[in-house]
């Protein structure tokens, strides 16, 4: 399972999203990471399904949609119709987790589950057979530019070990504070997807920044 880069649009130039998407794609991104925040689960409010729908014609890259919302159940069909390819919900959300994961798959999308830094990662183990991806939050959800929490590597190792024990060939993605140095830590721990935002956007060379992440996974 090779290393994948999911480029986050959270701190992108929202007035020029079409251009940003093309820059990500031309630099070699594998996916586009879209953080959906409702102002309840997190303090911030970000993208709705209409924004995702407007982005969809401008790239063929998979949309990796992360629902940081209190109740994802009613939003899952909206984002599926809008063009999301992977839909990730939080273990901490107020919904029937198993039912939501099954619904995502029933809609023909890949299902993911995410855990916040303070959550015991073992809480998601019963749901792993319903998932295509696990997203480990290595920062407190809600804002870009935060520092990577080193203890996240223990969660990555635990998920990879449990997935291997169950015979599941699943993606493990990590979101928060990813750069060329922390990417090496997450890949060594067993992750294979890096959500990259601030590190990329602060670079004058998107191609070089993405290459540095890939090199960290070798």
């Amino acid at each position: 399972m090779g290393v994948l880069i999911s480029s986050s649009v959270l701190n992108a130039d929202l007035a020029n999203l079409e251009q940003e998407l093309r820059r990500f794609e031309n630099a070699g991104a594998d996916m586009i990471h879209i953080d959906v925040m409702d102002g309840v689960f997190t303090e911030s409010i970000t993208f709705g399904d209409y924004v995702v729908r407007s982005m969809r014609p401008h790239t063929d890259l998979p949309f990796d949609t992360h629902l940081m919302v209190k109740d994802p159940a009613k939003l899952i069909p909206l984002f599926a119709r809008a063009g999301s390819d992977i839909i990730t919900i939080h273990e901490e959300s107020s919904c029937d987790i198993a039912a939501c994961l099954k619904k995502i798959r029933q809609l023909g999308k890949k299902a993911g589950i995410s855990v916040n830094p303070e959550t015991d990662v073992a809480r998601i183990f019963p749901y792993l057979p319903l998932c295509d991806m696990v997203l480990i939050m290595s920062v407190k959800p809600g804002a870009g530019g935060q520092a990577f929490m080193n203890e996240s590597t223990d969660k990555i190792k635990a998920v990879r070990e449990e997935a291997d024990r169950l015979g599941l060939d699943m993606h493990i993605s990590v979101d928060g504070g990813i750069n060329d140095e922390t990417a090496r830590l997450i890949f060594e721990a067993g992750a294979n997807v890096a959500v990259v935002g601030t590190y990329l956007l602060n670079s004058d060379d998107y191609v070089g920044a993405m290459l540095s992440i890939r090199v960290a996974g070798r």
Side-chain angles (χ1 to χ4, degrees):
M1 187 178 293
V3 167
L4 301 174
I5 296 175
S6 190
S7 296
S8 174
V9 296
L10 180 60
N11 290 326
D13 182 355
L14 301 185
N16 295 286
L17 263 180
E18 178 182 352
Q19 180 181 347
E20 290 283 55
L21 291 171
R22 288 176 179 169
R23 290 183 70 190
F24 290 151
E25 187 167 8
N26 291 338
D30 300 292
M31 295 183 276
I32 300 297
H33 188 84
I34 304 167
D35 286 311
V36 177
M37 306 182 198
D38 62 356
V40 180
F41 189 84
T42 61
E43 294 181 359
S44 301
I45 298 174
T46 55
F47 311 105
D49 57 304
Y50 281 91
V51 176
V52 174
R53 189 185 303 277
S54 70
M55 293 165 57
R56 185 68 280 177
H58 300 294
T59 179
D60 291 327
L61 290 178
F63 280 179
D64 169 22
T65 301
H66 178 195
L67 298 183
M68 288 188 274
V69 301
K70 189 68 174 176
D71 183 9
K74 61 184 178 181
L75 299 181
I76 288 168
L78 298 180
F79 282 94
R81 288 196 297 268
S84 299
D85 299 283
I86 305 169
I87 300 177
T88 296
I89 63 172
H90 268 263
E91 189 279 335
E92 303 88 357
S93 64
S94 300
C95 73
D96 183 329
I97 300 296
C100 283
L101 293 170
K102 290 176 183 177
K103 182 64 174 179
I104 293 168
R105 284 183 161 182
Q106 287 168 2
L107 291 169
K109 309 299 180 179
K110 293 183 178 180
I113 191 166
S114 183
V115 287
N116 286 340
E118 69 275 11
T119 301
D120 181 354
V121 76
R123 290 174 63 92
I124 68 170
F125 286 179
Y127 305 114
L128 293 185
L130 300 174
C131 297
D132 302 285
M133 185 168 73
V134 169
L135 175 60
I136 303 294
M137 293 301 298
S138 49
V139 297
K140 181 180 178 181
Q146 299 180 64
F148 178 83
M149 296 180 178
N150 287 302
E151 55 269 29
S152 304
T153 57
D154 292 334
K155 289 185 175 182
I156 298 166
K157 291 175 183 176
V159 173
R160 182 56 73 194
E161 288 174 1
E162 182 65 8
D164 288 346
R165 187 184 73 81
L166 295 172
L168 301 173
D169 183 21
M170 70 187 334
H171 294 302
I172 298 179
S173 179
V174 184
D175 184 2
I178 301 299
N179 55 39
D180 54 341
E181 296 180 359
T182 57
R184 178 180 54 80
L185 298 177
I186 68 166
F187 294 144
E188 287 178 351
N192 72 299
V193 181
V195 177
V196 185
T198 302
Y199 175 69
L200 179 62
L201 293 166
N202 285 347
S203 173
D204 293 329
D205 179 9
Y206 278 23
V207 174
M210 286 200 192
L211 180 60
S212 71
I213 298 294
R214 293 194 191 282
V215 168
R218 293 177 182 170

